[in-house]
Every structure is written in structure tokens, then in C-alpha cells.
């Protein structure tokens, strides 16, 4: 513990006391960084993010060119094609917004004497500093070793979106898991109909591809759809549960006793998704 300017200053990793609306007048370089697009330069995360896009593109290719375009039912192809591609666009847009949105990073190096003086702290009041990024930690902030920043209301770091899920991008992450789950379920249903149609027609005019190639492409799509549906559906449910309980995954795993007043379930949803329920809640472009 160090004495500084009449208040106590501690290096800890959690339980900060600053309010979420405390601001920090950062240096010009920090301000310039804030104006740029947020992007984490992590090799594993970038590979996972690219894989996510490639898997969605693969699913779209199989659904469009193997199952829908060869179909003799015009309206079946049009309706399912439009629905599947709309879900794909929404899923990838949600992924981009999650990956490129600042999750709530605390400014680096704001633990300076000038900043302490601006806080107008009472004598003996305890504040908390992260020793890794030398920043004053707001309440419920945690340090991410991959992002190398303290993140407000950090839930977890997700390599599939190459970013932390925190205060400012949790909504986009929830939408990403929801739309991936929906597109996976849709792909599995279409695969079921396609297999039934091909077997019934003895694989004649079933697809523009040969029967062995068609089977292999659809089996891979089924495996992909099942794995993604299971993973994202569980993650979606976990996120909604955390939002309703006003508790992040890190806080739950660490069994941290809440030092904040927990929001009611509906208030938590409105806080994350913004305002009263509307179609804007499920719009990743809003």
C-alpha cells in the first residue's frame, strides 16, 4: 500500500471503487487510438475469425448451389434462399460489430498524480490500479491478457470474434450467437429435406454435382451445423442468463460477491440492448 495525495492507492486485479461514468482526459496518442477502428492483433483470434467467415461462406455455398438452385420448386428455393442469406448477412455483420467494437477498454496509463487530483478523492479513500496496464480500474473491470487492457464488465475473451465481450459489445455478441444458431438450424433442416428428396428420386437430378460429391458436401454441412448450433445455442443461453442476473462470466466463475446494486432482469436486458423492446434489439446495424 502506498500513500499518495492523502488517499490510499492499491495494486489489485479487481473490486474497484470508481464509478462507470468517471472520465479520463487522455494524451493525444491515446485519443488518436480511440478514434481508430478497434482491432486486436492476436494470431489465434484472427485465424479463428477467418475460419468463422469461411465456414459461413461454405454453408451458404452448399445451401445455394447444391440444394436450392437445382430444386424444381421455385418458391421453395426463393424463400429459403432469401431467408438463409439474410441470416448469413446478419450473423456476419454481428460478428464484425463484435470484433471491431471497443468492448469498454479503460485508458492505459491513467494512474497519474494529475488524474488522482482531478478525482477529488476524500482523505483515506481507496482506489485501485491495475499493475499490468497502469490504469485506474472502474468497478467490475478486469484485465485481459490478450487485449492487454482492462475491460469494463468483461465477460470473457472469445477467440472466434477476436475480441473481449464487455460492456460495449455484448449486445453484438449475443446477436452473433443467436444468428449463427438460427442459420445452423436452418441448414440442418434443409439438409434433412434434401436427403429425403434425393433418396426418393434415387439421386437423379438431385443436384448439379455427382451423388458422391453431393453426399460429402452435405455431410460436412451437417457436422458443421450440428457443432455450431450446439455451441452457439449454449452460449446464447448463457449470455441471456448472465444479462438477466447482472453478472458476468468472470464474476460467476470467481464467485465474486456483488458490490453493486444488481439490476432487475428486464432492466438488465434493456441496459445491454438499449431502451424499450423493439426490432432495433436484433439489428446489428443499429
Amino acid at each position: 500500500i502506498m500513500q499518495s495525495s492523502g488517499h490510499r492507492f492499491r495494486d489489485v486485479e479487481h473490486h474497484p471503487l470508481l464509478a462507470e461514468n468517471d472520465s479520463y482526459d487522455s494524451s493525444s496518442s491515446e485519443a488518436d487510438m480511440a478514434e481508430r477502428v478497434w482491432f486486436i492483433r492476436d494470431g489465434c483470434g484472427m485465424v479463428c475469425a477467418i475460419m468463422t467467415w469461411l465456414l459461413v461462406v461454405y454453408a451458404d455455398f452448399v445451401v445455394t448451389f447444391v440444394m436450392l438452385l437445382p430444386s424444381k420448386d421455385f418458391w421453395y428455393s426463393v424463400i429459403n434462399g432469401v431467408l438463409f442469406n439474410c441470416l448469413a448477412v446478419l450473423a456476419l455483420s454481428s460478428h464484425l460489430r463484435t470484433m471491431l467494437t471497443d468492448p469498454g477498454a479503460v485508458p492505459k496509463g491513467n494512474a497519474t498524480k494529475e488524474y488522482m487530483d482531478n478525482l477529488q478523492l476524500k482523505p483515506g479513500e481507496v482506489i485501485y490500479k491495475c499493475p499490468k496496464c497502469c490504469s485506474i480500474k472502474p468497478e467490475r473491470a478486469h484485465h485481459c491478457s490478450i487485449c492487454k487492457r482492462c475491460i469494463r464488465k468483461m465477460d470473457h475473451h472469445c477467440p472466434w470474434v477476436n475480441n473481449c465481450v464487455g460492456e460495449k459489445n455484448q449486445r453484438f455478441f449475443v446477436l452473433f450467437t443467436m444468428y449463427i444458431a438460427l442459420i445452423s438450424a436452418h441448414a440442418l433442416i434443409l439438409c434433412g429435406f434434401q436427403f429425403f428428396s434425393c433418396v426418393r428420386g434415387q439421386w437423379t437430378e438431385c443436384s448439379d454435382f455427382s451423388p458422391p460429391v453431393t453426399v460429402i458436401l452435405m455431410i460436412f454441412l451437417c457436422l458443421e451445423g450440428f457443432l455450431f448450433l450446439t455451441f452457439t445455442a449454449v452460449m446464447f443461453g448463457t449470455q441471456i442468463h448472465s444479462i438477466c442476473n447482472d453478472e458476468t462470466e468472470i464474476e460467476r466463475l470467481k464467485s465474486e460477491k456483488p458490490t453493486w446494486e444488481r439490476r432487475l432482469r428486464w432492466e438488465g436486458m434493456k441496459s445491454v440492448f438499449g431502451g424499450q423492446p423493439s426490432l432495433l434489439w436484433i439489428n446489428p446495424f443499429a
Side-chain angles (χ1 to χ4, degrees):
I1 304 174
M2 299 183 296
Q3 298 294 330
S4 176
S5 303
H7 61 267
R8 299 161 68 196
F9 189 72
R10 294 180 179 176
D11 290 343
V12 294
E13 281 300 302
H14 55 281
H15 298 308
L17 295 180
L18 294 183
E20 292 186 0
N21 58 358
D22 285 336
S23 60
Y24 167 60
D25 186 12
S26 60
S27 64
S28 58
S29 60
E30 188 74 30
D32 292 340
M33 286 296 293
E35 292 176 358
R36 300 175 186 173
V37 175
W38 176 272
F39 183 76
I40 302 301
R41 293 173 178 81
D42 174 58
C44 177
M46 288 188 283
V47 169
C48 289
I50 293 172
M51 283 181 58
T52 301
W53 276 68
L54 291 178
L55 288 170
V56 173
V57 171
Y58 170 78
D60 191 62
F61 168 79
V62 176
V63 167
T64 303
F65 293 97
V66 178
M67 291 189 278
L68 296 182
L69 287 182
S71 175
K72 295 180 180 180
D73 190 333
F74 175 77
W75 288 111
Y76 172 83
S77 299
V78 170
I79 293 174
N80 282 287
V82 170
L83 178 60
F84 191 89
N85 282 279
C86 284
L87 290 175
V89 169
L90 290 170
L92 294 179
S93 299
S94 300
H95 182 272
L96 271 181
R97 293 298 300 272
T98 307
M99 182 170 61
L100 301 180
T101 298
D102 179 351
V106 179
K108 276 186 177 181
N110 65 353
T112 61
K113 183 178 183 301
E114 292 76 17
Y115 183 49
M116 306 294 175
D117 295 337
N118 291 334
L119 292 177
Q120 298 180 346
L121 300 169
K122 298 177 182 178
E125 186 174 350
V126 180
I127 58 176
Y128 296 94
K129 182 190 82 169
C130 173
K132 296 180 180 178
C133 58
C134 196
S135 63
I136 301 299
K137 298 186 69 172
E139 189 172 39
R140 306 181 70 182
H142 292 272
H143 185 86
C144 175
S145 58
I146 299 176
C147 295
K148 296 180 175 58
R149 298 287 289 272
C150 283
I151 307 296
R152 295 178 185 267
K153 287 184 66 177
M154 175 180 168
D155 188 84
H156 68 287
H157 184 94
C158 178
W160 293 103
V161 297
N162 190 33
N163 201 2
C164 274
V165 177
E167 181 179 75
K168 295 183 179 180
N169 68 346
Q170 187 175 25
R171 169 175 169 264
F172 300 124
F173 181 75
V174 172
L175 293 181
F176 168 66
T177 58
M178 182 183 74
Y179 286 124
I180 290 293
L182 290 175
I183 198 176
S184 300
H186 192 194
L188 289 173
I189 293 172
L190 291 176
C191 280
F193 278 114
Q194 187 71 10
F195 271 119
F196 177 77
S197 175
C198 289
V199 171
R200 186 179 60 179
Q202 298 182 347
W203 299 91
T204 58
E205 299 181 2
C206 171
S207 171
D208 294 336
F209 296 86
S210 65
V213 173
T214 300
V215 170
I216 292 174
L217 291 174
M218 291 175 61
I219 287 177
F220 274 112
L221 179 59
C222 286
L223 290 174
E224 176 192 342
F226 178 76
L227 291 175
F228 267 73
L229 174 61
T230 303
F231 174 75
T232 54
V234 170
M235 184 60 70
F236 175 78
T238 302
Q239 288 292 303
I240 295 298
H241 181 266
S242 297
I243 293 171
C244 290
N245 288 341
D246 195 14
E247 181 182 49
T248 67
E249 188 67 15
I250 291 179
E251 292 163 351
R252 186 186 68 81
L253 292 175
K254 290 186 175 182
S255 300
E256 295 184 3
K257 294 182 180 180
T259 58
W260 61 94
E261 184 178 352
R262 283 187 171 178
R263 297 185 177 94
L264 298 176
R265 293 186 176 184
W266 197 240
E267 291 300 320
M269 292 290 289
K270 289 194 293 185
S271 172
V272 171
F273 288 91
Q276 296 298 324
S278 69
L279 290 177
L280 294 177
W281 277 24
I282 59 174
N283 181 8
F285 302 103

